[in-house]
């Protein structure tokens, strides 16, 4: 108070200085007007109203209720403004996150108002961004897309359709971005179109992702169709017990038909196409689907009559029943391998027969040499005995013919390999054959000091056979008898006819 006078409104000032009560409305109840009370001072101190006394309770209550209602309305308005601000901020954040921009075209002035996002996207000046001519916006659109954008605007205005256009726009960084513009007509009080309002969605990143996906799909499809191996994607099917029982074809390449012989397989199951398909195929692919472990194997599909070299792997994460199968028909290779194994076995058998034959023939070739050597000794001792010389020459001639037959066998390699010995059958006298065999084995019998006993009929003994082979047989038997009979033993050779 000035001059020491009391401060009548100090309480009002004190209340408003409190942080929690700074906006509390205060009504001052004044005494009857007089020189000591200045109404203006009350308002200056912060009172919202001054009521002169005496004042009745209803009047004071009504005044207080009025100001409380005014204060509450103001508080609610402040809260609403704050909520609106938050909503606008969230909307702006959403628009930015979604790469959306808003715009309004005034059809009466042909001017467009844009938000900051659209102004940046179209590289507009501040003037053009706030009610600039529509031409400023069209100038930012790619020249190849301008005509279509105009046509969409005209169609929306004339037909009342939703405005929906896709075009490229040159942004502030000089690069073209792909956008989708959508709008809706607004009407004036007269019912005529007055504005076109809408949004622009920047789909550049989406378009780039789509282009990359399309390129990836094209590369995948090119690879999928270009490889010679058969490829198919199948969905495994399980029975109620969780056991794999079948699979459904989802996709395959063109080589699939060549490797399987199955046509029009998409959407069909393997059992429907080949009812006899073996269960081990389902078990193998089911295991791949459930474990995620890829497999590589070779096996036969008897129902298809083919052999396959297969690689199978799961498509997707755990729980996926989709399996990718890369396979090759190796039926001809398997058959060729089997034929090679058969030929190898035949060659091995032929080689074994050849070895056995050569070993036998080498043994046989030694047999005629002994009588020839003995005959030569006899010739040297009895050079003047004509009868002896003739008999010895006959023996040598017979043994030489026998050796010629054996050498012919040796030279015929093809017959040796096939294990086939050509038989030269003719009518012979068995006594002559036995005589040749005795001549061949006699040196070995004499060396062991064996005594040879013969029991051979004197009458003709005709036989249809190969003389060389029968001689070999009998000679081998006599040689074995000479080798394995104790020294100085008896070897008996007999011949007889039985029946016919």
């Amino acid at each position: 108070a000035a001059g020491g006078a009391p401060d009548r409104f100090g309480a009002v000032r004190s209340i408003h200085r409190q942080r929690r009560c700074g906006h509390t409305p205060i009504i001052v109840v004044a005494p009857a007007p007089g020189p000591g009370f200045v109404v203006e001072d009350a308002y200056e101190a912060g009172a919202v109203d001054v009521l002169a006394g005496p004042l009745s309770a209803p009047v004071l209550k009504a005044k207080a209720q009025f100001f409380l209602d005014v204060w509450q309305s103001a508080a609610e308005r402040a809260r609403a403004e704050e909520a609106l601000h938050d909503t606008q901020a969230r909307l702006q954040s959403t628009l930015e996150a979604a790469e959306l921009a808003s715009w309004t075209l005034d059809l009466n002035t042909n001017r467009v108002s844009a938000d900051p996002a659209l102004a940046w996207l179209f590289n507009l000046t501040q003037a053009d961004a706030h009610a600039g001519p529509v031409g400023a916006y069209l100038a930012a659109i790619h020249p190849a897309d301008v005509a279509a954008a105009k046509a969409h605007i005209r169609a929306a205005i004339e037909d009342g359709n939703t405005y929906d256009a896709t075009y490229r726009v040159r942004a502030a960084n000089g690069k073209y971005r792909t956008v989708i513009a959508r709008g809706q007509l607004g009407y004036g009080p007269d019912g005529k179109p007055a504005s076109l309002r809408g949004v622009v969605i920047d789909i550049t990143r989406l378009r780039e992702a789509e282009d990359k996906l399309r390129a990836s799909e094209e590369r995948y499809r090119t690879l999928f169709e270009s490889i010679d191996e058969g490829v198919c994607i199948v969905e495994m099917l399980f029975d109620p017990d969780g056991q794999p029982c079948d699979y459904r074809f989802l996709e395959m390449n063109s080589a699939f038909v060549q490797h399987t012989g199955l046509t029009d397989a998409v959407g069909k199951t393997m059992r429907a196409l080949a009812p006899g398909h073996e269960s081990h195929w389902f078990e193998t692919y089911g295991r791949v689907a459930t474990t995620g472990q890829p497999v590589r194997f070779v096996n036969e599909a008897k129902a298809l009559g083919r052999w396959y070299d297969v690689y199978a792997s799961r498509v997707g994460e755990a729980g996926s029943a989709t399996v990718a199968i890369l396979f090759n028909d190796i039926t001809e290779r398997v058959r060729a391998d089997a034929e090679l194994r058969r030929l190898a076995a035949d060659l091995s058998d032929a080689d074994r027969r050849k070895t056995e034959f050569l070993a036998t023939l080498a043994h046989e070739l030694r047999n005629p040499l002994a009588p020839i050597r003995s005959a030569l000794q006899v010739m040297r001792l009895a050079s003047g005995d004509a009868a002896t010389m003739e008999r010895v020459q006959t023996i040598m001639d017979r043994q030489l013919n026998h050796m010629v037959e054996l050498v012919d066998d040796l030279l015929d390699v093809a017959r040796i390999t096939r294990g086939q010995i050509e038989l030269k059958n003719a009518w012979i006298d068995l006594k002559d054959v036995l005589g040749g065999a005795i001549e061949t084995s006699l040196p070995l019998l004499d060396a062991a000091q064996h005594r040879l006993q013969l029991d051979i009929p004197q009458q003709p003994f005709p036989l249809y056979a190969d003389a060389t082979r029968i001689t070999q047989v009998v000679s081998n038997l006599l040689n074995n008898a000479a080798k394995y009979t104790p020294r100085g033993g008896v070897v008996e050779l007999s011949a007889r006819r039985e029946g016919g």
Side-chain angles (χ1 to χ4, degrees), residues 161-319:
N161 298 328
T162 299
Y163 173 62
D164 192 343
T166 301
Y167 49 81
R168 291 160 291 174
V169 60
R170 188 177 59 252
N173 58 8
K175 296 181 179 180
Y176 279 98
R177 304 184 69 82
T178 304
V179 301
I180 296 176
R182 290 175 179 162
Q184 193 73 37
L185 279 177
Y187 296 88
D190 57 359
K192 296 181 179 180
S195 63
L196 187 62
R197 297 186 180 92
V199 295
V200 168
I201 308 170
D202 186 354
I203 62 169
T204 304
R205 287 190 288 184
L206 176 62
R207 182 59 59 86
E208 290 174 351
E210 289 176 348
D211 291 342
K212 290 180 180 178
L213 181 61
R214 188 178 303 108
S216 176
E217 175 67 21
E218 289 176 356
R219 288 194 298 270
Y220 163 75
R221 182 54 57 183
T222 300
L223 177 63
F224 193 71
E225 292 296 338
S226 64
I227 60 177
D228 294 331
E229 289 80 1
V231 182
C232 62
I233 310 297
V234 302
E235 176 192 8
M236 292 305 304
L237 304 177
F238 299 85
D239 61 21
D241 296 329
Q243 299 301 314
C245 58
D246 203 350
Y247 52 82
R248 179 180 293 106
F249 291 101
L250 303 179
E251 187 179 3
M252 67 278 299
N253 67 345
S254 55
F256 173 87
V257 176
Q258 173 188 346
H259 286 278
T260 64
L262 302 176
T263 58
D264 193 25
V266 174
K268 297 178 182 177
T269 66
M270 188 61 190
R271 289 201 182 277
L273 295 170
H277 199 50
E278 298 86 352
S279 60
H280 64 79
W281 294 94
F282 308 121
E283 294 168 0
T284 300
Y285 296 150
R287 189 162 53 252
V288 171
T290 54
T291 66
Q293 295 295 322
V295 295
R296 175 75 181 270
F297 63 94
V298 172
N299 213 328
E300 182 182 13
K302 294 182 180 178
L304 301 180
R306 307 186 187 211
W307 280 83
Y308 291 104
D309 182 357
V310 184
Y311 177 81
S313 62
R314 185 176 67 193
V315 178
E317 301 297 329

Side-chain angles (χ1 to χ4, degrees), residues 346-364 366 409-410 412-421:
D346 290 346
L347 287 174
S348 177
D349 187 56
D351 184 66
R352 178 186 56 78
R353 289 196 299 267
K354 181 177 67 174
T355 301
E356 293 175 352
F357 179 83
L358 291 176
T360 302
L361 190 60
H363 175 72
E364 297 288 346
R366 288 196 299 268
D409 288 340
L410 179 63
D412 196 347
V413 179
R415 286 207 310 273
I416 296 172
T417 304
R418 294 193 300 269
Q420 296 175 349
I421 300 300

Side-chain angles (χ1 to χ4, degrees), residues 371-388:
I372 291 175
R373 183 183 296 112
S374 298
L376 288 173
Q377 292 175 353
V378 172
M379 290 176 68
R380 282 195 296 268
L381 296 174
S383 57
D385 188 345
T388 300

Side-chain angles (χ1 to χ4, degrees), residues 59-129:
V59 174
L60 181 59
K61 183 176 180 181
K63 282 285 186 176
Q65 185 63 48
F66 170 75
F67 286 111
L68 288 172
D69 291 343
V70 170
W71 179 85
Q72 187 170 357
S73 297
E76 291 176 353
R77 183 171 64 252
R79 287 194 296 272
E81 290 175 352
E82 184 178 359
L84 177 61
H85 177 76
D86 291 343
T87 301
Q88 290 175 337
R90 287 195 299 271
L91 177 61
Q92 185 63 32
S93 298
T94 302
L95 292 176
E96 292 175 358
E99 297 181 315
L100 292 172
S102 60
W103 52 273
T104 301
L105 170 61
D106 189 328
L107 299 180
N108 295 319
T109 62
N110 208 30
R111 289 182 172 273
V112 179
S113 297
D115 65 4
L118 191 70
W120 176 87
L121 190 60
F122 279 73
N123 194 20
L124 301 172
T125 64
Q126 290 294 327
D128 290 336

Side-chain angles (χ1 to χ4, degrees), residues 400-466:
L400 284 174
N401 288 335
H402 184 50
M403 287 188 68
V404 170
E405 294 288 344
L406 295 176
V407 172
D408 286 343
D409 288 340
L410 179 63
L411 295 177
D412 196 347
V413 179
R415 286 207 310 273
I416 296 172
T417 304
R418 294 193 300 269
Q420 296 175 349
I421 300 300
E422 183 181 2
L423 296 179
K424 299 177 181 179
N425 293 329
W427 283 106
I428 59 175
D429 190 338
L430 182 61
K431 291 186 296 180
D432 296 336
V433 173
L434 296 180
I438 292 169
E439 291 172 357
T440 302
S441 302
L442 191 58
L444 192 60
L445 291 165
D446 290 342
Q449 297 181 357
H450 295 315
R451 183 163 53 87
L452 178 63
Q453 292 183 356
L454 300 177
D455 181 14
I456 301 174
Q458 294 301 314
Q459 69 270 23
F461 218 126
L463 184 70
Y464 187 75
D466 186 323

